[in-house]
């Protein structure tokens, strides 16, 4: 069932107590569908939200051009196992403007993607808190592809004692390793061809790490070297940080997140891998 009002959403869920929730911005692909399919296995009711949240886009970003096709997304979500697709208008969510925001500490939000998108995570945490408040799920399903988002939302849930669990699902990739993303559709043929080096460069870091290289600068340099094969690529950031605290280090001694953002033309793609410390 497609639902666009908060009151209706609350009404249909009022007597349910085993709800799995998958928040999305639509333009659904196999990555999103994997979250829905996983939630389906564990819950009586699965709710998918489709809401292109204006407050997580800066004025110069792609809010207006973000792909929207609710009919197609609805059919895909239902076929993957969703019971309800919640697709409210911006007015339904924010009215004439909300004065309340959920802000996680800048040590988590002002680095990596937050360095160039300073208001982004405030928009994400606020809308996810708000959606959780409406849907009241037992578990929320998030993709590892957006690792910083997962770390920030887990922290929000913990610090606000929200009564739910965050489940993280693996990144779904295209045939050549490129992480599926709604923004991949913006790549032209050459950019798409070269985007394969994003994951290849991450795999080089993993390979060197597996061979015993623990020096962060050396590993970051190996990423840059492999990415030189992509002549159109412009690195936004390459970082190796502590997994939960996102603190920097010189030598890997514990579980780390290797997170990267690279422009191919005007399209900015992110990806990451996790290196389990102590292996
Ligand atoms: P978005 O619509 O981009 O906000 O993404 C909604 C959810 O889908 C987020 O939890 C993302 O991390 C997740 N997601 C996006 N792409 C992928 C992917 N390739 N594999 C797994 N999860 C994904």
């Amino acid at each position: 069932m497609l639902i666009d009002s908060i009151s209706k959403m609350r009404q249909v869920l009022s007597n349910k107590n085993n709800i799995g929730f998958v928040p999305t911005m639509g333009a659904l692909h196999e990555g999103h569908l994997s979250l829905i399919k996983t939630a389906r296995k564990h819950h009586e009711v699965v709710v998918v939200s489709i809401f292109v949240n204006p407050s997580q886009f800066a004025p110069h970003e792609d809010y207006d051009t973000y792909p929207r096709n609710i009919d197609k997304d609805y059919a895909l979500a239902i076929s993957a196992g969703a019971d309800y697709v919640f697709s409210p208008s911006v007015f339904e969510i924010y009215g004439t403007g909300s004065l309340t925001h959920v802000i996680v500490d800048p040590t988590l939000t002002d680095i990596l993607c937050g360095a160039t998108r300073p208001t982004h995570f405030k928009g994400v945490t606020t809308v996810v808190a708000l959606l959780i408040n409406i849907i009241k799920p037992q578990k929320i399903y998030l993709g590892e592809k957006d690792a910083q988002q997962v770390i920030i939302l887990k922290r929000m849930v913990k610090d606000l004692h929200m009564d739910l669990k965050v489940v993280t699902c693996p990144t779904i990739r295209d045939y050549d390793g490129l992480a599926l993303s709604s923004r991949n559709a913006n790549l032209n043929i050459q950019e798409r061809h070269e985007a394969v080096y994003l994951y290849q460069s991450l795999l080089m870091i993993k390979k060197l790490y597996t061979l015993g290289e623990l020096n962060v600068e050396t590993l970051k340099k190996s990423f840059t070297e492999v990415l030189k094969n992509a002549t159109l690529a412009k690195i936004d950031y390459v970082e190796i940080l502590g997994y939960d605290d996102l603190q920097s280090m010189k030598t890997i001694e514990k579980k780390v997140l290797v997170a990267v953002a690279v422009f191919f033309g005007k399209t900015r793609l992110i990806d990451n891998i996790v290196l389990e410390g102590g292996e």
Side-chain angles (χ1 to χ4, degrees):
M1 185 190 292
L2 183 62
I3 294 180
D4 61 10
S5 86
I6 294 171
S7 56
K8 179 77 180 169
M9 191 73 253
R10 285 202 158 121
Q11 186 201 328
V12 297
L13 297 176
S14 61
N15 58 352
K16 311 289 188 208
N17 55 17
N18 181 7
I19 301 167
F21 174 41
V22 182
T24 83
M25 296 204 301
L28 300 186
H29 51 62
E30 286 298 330
H32 301 110
L33 302 186
S34 74
L35 308 189
I36 301 171
K37 287 174 190 166
T38 306
R40 179 72 281 162
K41 288 186 199 145
H42 301 286
H43 300 277
E44 180 196 351
V45 179
V46 175
V47 181
V48 175
S49 66
I50 295 181
F51 181 62
V52 185
N53 175 34
S55 72
Q56 69 192 66
F57 290 80
H60 64 279
E61 291 180 345
D62 55 350
Y63 174 71
D64 288 333
T65 55
Y66 200 86
R68 293 164 172 86
N69 186 339
I70 188 62
D71 294 340
K72 184 174 171 212
D73 283 343
Y74 176 74
L76 283 170
I78 295 294
S79 70
D83 298 295
Y84 299 107
V85 173
F86 181 47
S87 178
S89 66
V90 173
F91 185 78
E92 180 73 6
I93 292 296
Y94 293 118
T96 52
S98 167
L99 296 178
T100 304
H101 309 284
V102 178
I103 299 173
V104 172
D105 195 78
T107 51
L108 298 185
T109 60
D110 286 10
I111 54 169
L112 301 176
C113 290
T116 50
R117 307 185 74 192
T119 55
H120 173 68
F121 288 111
K122 176 172 137 186
V124 171
T125 43
T126 301
V127 81
V128 173
L130 185 156
L131 291 168
I132 286 171
N133 214 17
I134 295 167
I135 291 161
K136 298 189 173 60
Q138 275 56 56
K139 291 186 182 169
I140 177 170
Y141 291 79
L142 304 173
E144 251 170 30
K145 193 198 135 240
D146 298 279
Q148 187 180 12
Q149 174 169 280
V150 170
I151 290 166
I152 290 168
L153 289 174
K154 272 188 176 167
R155 191 70 208 206
M156 175 189 82
V157 165
K158 176 174 182 279
D159 289 349
L160 296 182
H161 298 282
M162 290 178 162
D163 191 14
L164 81 162
K165 286 208 165 60
V166 175
V167 180
T168 319
C169 301
T171 301
I172 304 296
R173 299 180 179 279
D174 217 337
Y175 66 95
D176 59 358
L178 178 66
L180 294 183
S181 163
S182 312
R183 292 190 169 99
N184 291 354
N186 299 333
L187 299 168
N188 68 29
I189 291 173
Q190 197 192 344
E191 288 162 356
R192 173 63 188 84
H193 187 67
E194 291 197 353
V196 66
Y197 286 109
L198 189 56
Y199 189 48
Q200 293 298 327
S201 310
L202 279 173
L203 289 181
M204 178 57 84
I205 290 186
K206 187 168 195 170
K207 184 173 167 192
L208 293 180
Y209 171 77
T210 312
L211 291 171
E213 181 59 67
L214 299 176
N215 183 281
V216 165
E217 280 311 313
T218 308
L219 291 169
K220 280 161 69 168
K221 214 166 151 216
S222 74
F223 177 89
T224 314
E225 284 303 314
V226 180
L227 199 69
K228 280 186 182 154
N229 288 294
T231 54
L232 299 173
K234 275 182 70 180
I235 295 177
D236 178 0
Y237 65 74
V238 188
E239 294 291 351
I240 299 178
L241 302 171
Y243 186 73
D244 282 320
D245 57 12
L246 296 182
Q247 293 297 299
S248 57
M249 62 190 73
K250 289 196 165 116
T251 308
I252 298 179
E253 284 166 358
K254 58 177 188 174
K255 184 175 175 179
V256 294
L257 173 70
V258 184
V260 298
V262 175
F263 282 96
F264 290 86
K266 286 188 175 145
T267 308
R268 183 173 168 282
L269 301 180
I270 60 169
D271 202 350
N272 69 79
I273 54 172
V274 173
L275 303 177
E276 301 286 341
E279 275 187 349

